[in-house]
């Protein structure tokens, strides 16, 4: 599936066309992340985080090719990071860390990353990693790049959660429409209907995160 998405330019949706991307913005990313929530792929990590860090820093890449899968993390001083999405499965880790009062970015090939597998409550890969930062000088970046990186990660999570909420709503509506009790659909019962209404309202409210975040932070497309 990842190869198919790569061929369509969706794994680097916000990246430049010269690099196999589509030069898309946050609106397109929102719909893609919402849809991708059902298939559980590292689209946000590869595109909005790792790909963005590579583009902003201009650091050398350890891997290449349109089907390459990356994740990203902020490392501690000893080169460790916890709960990194998909670390066990990717081709490379794009990391940012602080050394000598300067933030630095570098890409590490998977073979150079020590991974301890772990998972979150949803059984999704959230691994602990360690790399030897002493062997990498890294490319210096301003502190505001790190701040923006963290904000992008938070926004990507919010969008993915909105997509998950949409899937939950679809399942609930399907169940309450098909399941019958006492001769009528469960969804017709007064005790069930308010819950469905609330779920229907939450999804569009969740997607308001996109324009609100852009307005608060003064940011436009993810490529900016």
């Amino acid at each position: 599936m990842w190869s198919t998405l790569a061929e369509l330019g969706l794994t680097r949706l916000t990246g430049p066309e010269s690099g196999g991307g589509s030069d898309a913005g946050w609106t397109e990313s929102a719909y893609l992340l919402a849809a991708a929530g059902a298939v559980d792929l590292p689209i946000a990590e590869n595109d909005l985080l790792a790909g963005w860090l590579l583009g902003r820093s201009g650091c050398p890449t350890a891997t290449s090719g349109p089907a390459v899968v990356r994740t990203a993390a902020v490392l501690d001083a000893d080169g460790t990071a916890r709960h990194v999405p998909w670390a066990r499965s990717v081709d490379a880790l794009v990391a940012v860390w602080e050394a000598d009062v300067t933030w630095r970015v570098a890409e590490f090939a998977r073979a150079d990353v020590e991974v301890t597998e772990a998972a979150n409550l949803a059984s999704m890969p959230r691994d602990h990693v360690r790399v030897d930062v002493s062997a990498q000088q890294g490319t210096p970046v301003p502190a505001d790049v790190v701040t923006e990186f963290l904000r992008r990660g938070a926004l990507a999570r919010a969008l993915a959660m909105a997509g998950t909420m949409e899937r939950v709503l679809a399942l609930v509506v399907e169940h309450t429409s098909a399941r019958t009790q006492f001769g009528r659909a469960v969804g017709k019962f007064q005790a069930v209907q308010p819950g469905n209404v609330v779920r229907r309202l939450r999804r569009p409210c969740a997607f308001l995160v996109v324009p609100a975040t852009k307005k608060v932070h003064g940011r436009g497309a993810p490529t900016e």
Side-chain angles (χ1 to χ4, degrees), residues 150-164:
L150 296 175
R151 288 174 176 170
R152 294 168 72 87
L155 179 54
R157 289 287 169 265
L159 292 170
M161 290 172 65
T164 300

Side-chain angles (χ1 to χ4, degrees), residues 114-162:
E114 179 183 329
V115 177
T116 301
E117 295 188 4
N120 60 15
L121 293 176
S123 298
M124 301 172 66
R126 293 294 182 270
D127 304 321
H128 311 320
V129 303
R130 184 181 185 281
V131 295
D132 183 7
V133 292
S134 65
Q136 270 278 7
Q137 183 177 3
T139 300
V141 294
D144 61 354
V145 169
V146 183
T147 301
E148 177 68 4
F149 172 78
L150 296 175
R151 288 174 176 170
R152 294 168 72 87
L155 179 54
R157 289 287 169 265
L159 292 170
M161 290 172 65

Side-chain angles (χ1 to χ4, degrees), residues 66-213:
V68 168
V69 187
R70 296 181 173 92
T71 191
V74 178
L75 303 177
D76 293 335
D78 60 353
T80 63
R82 296 174 58 81
H83 311 296
V84 179
W86 303 98
R88 73 188 72 170
S89 306
V90 298
D91 301 302
L93 168 72
V94 181
V96 56
W97 72 96
E98 189 175 19
D100 300 326
V101 200
T102 301
W103 287 99
R104 305 174 185 276
V105 174
E107 180 175 270
F108 298 85
R110 172 64 181 84
D112 297 325
V113 181
E114 179 183 329
V115 177
T116 301
E117 295 188 4
N120 60 15
L121 293 176
S123 298
M124 301 172 66
R126 293 294 182 270
D127 304 321
H128 311 320
V129 303
R130 184 181 185 281
V131 295
D132 183 7
V133 292
S134 65
Q136 270 278 7
Q137 183 177 3
T139 300
V141 294
D144 61 354
V145 169
V146 183
T147 301
E148 177 68 4
F149 172 78
L150 296 175
R151 288 174 176 170
R152 294 168 72 87
L155 179 54
R157 289 287 169 265
L159 292 170
M161 290 172 65
T164 300
M165 290 163 60
E166 183 177 21
R167 176 60 176 159
V168 169
L169 172 61
L171 290 173
V172 169
V173 171
E174 179 183 355
H175 175 76
T176 55
S177 299
R179 178 70 182 272
T180 60
Q181 190 73 33
F182 304 113
R184 58 175 174 165
V186 172
K188 297 295 184 181
F189 286 92
Q190 187 173 0
V192 176
Q193 290 177 348
N196 285 346
V197 171
V198 171
R199 292 185 184 92
R200 289 180 185 276
L201 290 174
R202 282 177 179 169
R203 190 252 178 178
C205 286
F207 273 106
L208 290 176
V209 170
V210 179
T213 303

